[in-house]
Amino acid sequence: MPQHEQPPITAAPRRAVVTGSAGFIGSHLAHALVQAGTTVIGVDRRDSSTDPTAAANLAALRGLPGYHHVTADLLHCAIDPLLIEADAVFHLAGIPGVRPSWGPQFGDYLASNVLATHRVLEACTRISVPRLVVASSSSVYGPTDGGASLEADRPKPASPYAVTKLAEEQLCLAYAERPIGPSVVALRYFTVYGPRQRADMFTHRALQAALTGQPLRLYGDGHQRRDFTYIDDVVAATIAAAVVPTAQGAINVGGGSNASLLDVINIATSLTGRDIQLHQDHARNGDVLLTRADPSRAREVLGWQPRVDLHRGLRAHMQALAAQVPDYSRAA
Ligand code: NAD
Ligand code: UGA
């Protein structure tokens, strides 16, 4: 096996539920699970008959015999019937994104990230689901002193979104302390990128700008750094979190490629051979200058490490974008 690939997935739950399956990470996870032989029930409130992003995300899952899709809002739907005989629930449904969380949508963040999670936890407890894997976020750490963030560090969330993600993971971990609840692994994902990444995220926008010549809005000076984590690495960690019996608690999923936004711009430029026109804008509230994962716990507990470096990951991401839009392919 080449050093830059995740080993093939050899252990996966027999039956699983993926919430947020019409989303970026959820759709990749559901697909990898089905490929590994898992029967998957995917739940998402976005309706793929009216929402083109959901339709594109679900395209590869359509018609696969191991995949069953339910369009439903976890805030209101009957969750229990979906969980019967599930070995694991992967709870990825939620409202992501740091910057819009300061606006009037905060109620939606709270409802989907905290209240819907509470409903999922109650249902998991009633149906005796043995393992819940929940999507937490690097944003729970807030501003750092430049060192790598450890799971034991005191969280200092710096945006309303981050506050809801911390509340979500802590709620799950509180349920896990009860003798009757599921065991819980809260994965703190660090800025995930790759094919079908959300259109509000930076790497998508930088690659799109490089492919189309449209300007890229840069918030701040571009020196802010992220642990950019490739989607296939994230999926591998997420499946491991469901099957390693001893796994529990918060675990960082990041640490592969620490780079600045300007580094991403340079790679996007070199991949396409086209300069990016930058529109400089002010730094956004709650946007931290640096995220950096200490990946030791993921290595020790899950046997996981990130494999895909930024250059290779961005090339795959760019090729997927170029294939979507015919005009892009001439530039790619
Ligand atoms: P996404 O928006 O593409 O996917 C989330 C999905 O959840 C959407 O399809 C949405 O319709 C669904 N959803 C939201 N509320 C729902 C509800 N009440 N009922 C049913 N479905 C609902 O986002 P993503 O980037 O794939 O992120 C997935 C998860 O990972 C989120 O919880 C996010 O906070 C977390 N996360 C993402 C990143 C990242 O870099 N993308 C990093 C850290 C954490
Ligand atoms: C990302 C996800 O959007 C969150 O949902 C997730 O929780 C978080 O990662 C995480 O790691 O936990 P973020 O790191 O802010 O959040 O990722 P981007 O949205 O891609 O933004 C990265 C940087 O690019 C930020 O500094 C942002 O201000 C900047 N940016 C973004 C721009 O300069 N221009 C844009 O058009 C978009």
Side-chain angles (χ1 to χ4, degrees):
M1 179 191 60
Q3 198 47 32
H4 53 256
E5 279 175 18
Q6 287 293 337
I9 291 161
T10 49
R14 193 183 46 84
R15 191 177 171 86
V17 172
V18 176
T19 74
S21 58
F24 162 45
I25 304 173
S27 61
H28 280 278
L29 172 65
H31 194 261
L33 284 166
V34 172
Q35 298 294 99
T38 305
T39 299
V40 175
I41 296 185
V43 192
D44 201 294
R45 70 177 180 182
R46 283 198 288 190
D47 183 348
S48 59
S49 65
T50 53
D51 183 321
T53 304
N57 287 344
L58 289 169
L61 286 161
R62 223 175 284 285
L64 289 184
Y67 183 74
H68 310 276
H69 191 75
V70 177
T71 303
D73 192 326
L74 292 165
L75 277 167
H76 311 295
C77 70
I79 301 177
D80 294 18
L82 307 173
L83 307 190
I84 290 165
E85 292 187 14
D87 301 308
V89 170
F90 297 92
H91 180 44
L92 276 67
I95 310 294
V98 172
R99 293 165 295 282
S101 68
W102 296 101
Q105 308 94 308
F106 181 66
D108 208 15
Y109 279 81
L110 206 52
S112 278
N113 296 356
V114 183
L115 298 178
T117 299
H118 180 251
R119 293 193 81 235
V120 169
L121 283 162
E122 285 288 324
C124 285
T125 306
R126 280 191 298 272
I127 304 296
S128 302
V129 173
R131 175 64 55 87
L132 174 74
V133 179
V134 61
S136 185
S137 155
S138 73
S139 66
V140 303
Y141 290 113
T144 65
D145 60 7
S149 296
L150 272 165
E151 292 83 351
D153 291 351
R154 185 168 157 265
K156 283 176 287 177
S159 68
Y161 163 72
V163 170
T164 65
K165 292 306 284 185
L166 184 60
E168 176 178 9
E169 77 156 47
Q170 292 299 313
L171 187 64
C172 293
L173 295 174
Y175 266 74
E177 287 300 312
R178 303 198 311 174
I180 54 169
S183 64
V184 171
V185 184
L187 297 176
R188 293 179 175 169
Y189 296 148
F190 282 67
T191 313
V192 187
Y193 74 104
R196 307 201 298 274
Q197 190 195 44
R198 299 190 333 260
D200 60 290
M201 292 186 69
F202 181 75
T203 39
H204 171 96
R205 290 186 172 175
L207 289 167
Q208 192 175 40
L211 285 165
T212 62
Q214 289 163 2
L216 171 67
R217 197 166 287 276
L218 187 63
Y219 304 138
D221 61 9
H223 288 289
Q224 58 267 53
R225 301 183 75 85
R226 293 287 181 271
D227 253 9
F228 293 99
T229 313
Y230 191 66
I231 183 67
D232 292 357
D233 287 337
V234 168
V235 164
T238 308
I239 295 176
V243 295
V244 173
T246 51
Q248 58 169 325
I251 301 182
N252 289 338
V253 175
S257 302
N258 196 272
S260 70
L261 303 191
L262 295 178
D263 293 333
V264 172
I265 288 170
N266 285 335
I267 297 174
T269 302
S270 76
L271 284 170
T272 57
R274 185 185 247 170
D275 282 341
I276 295 178
Q277 196 194 330
L278 292 179
H279 281 190
Q280 212 102 30
D281 206 337
H282 65 88
R284 294 315 203 234
N285 287 330
D287 223 1
V288 294
L289 290 179
L290 169 79
T291 65
R292 191 192 294 278
D294 184 318
S296 321
R297 189 152 198 270
R299 194 171 52 241
E300 284 152 21
V301 176
L302 304 178
W304 174 88
Q305 59 183 34
R307 303 267 181 173
V308 180
D309 69 39
L310 189 59
H311 197 278
R312 189 160 159 268
L314 284 177
R315 189 168 54 228
H317 190 169
M318 186 204 63
Q319 283 166 347
L321 264 181
Q324 267 170 24
V325 181
D327 279 356
Y328 287 180
S329 51
R330 283 198 292 278

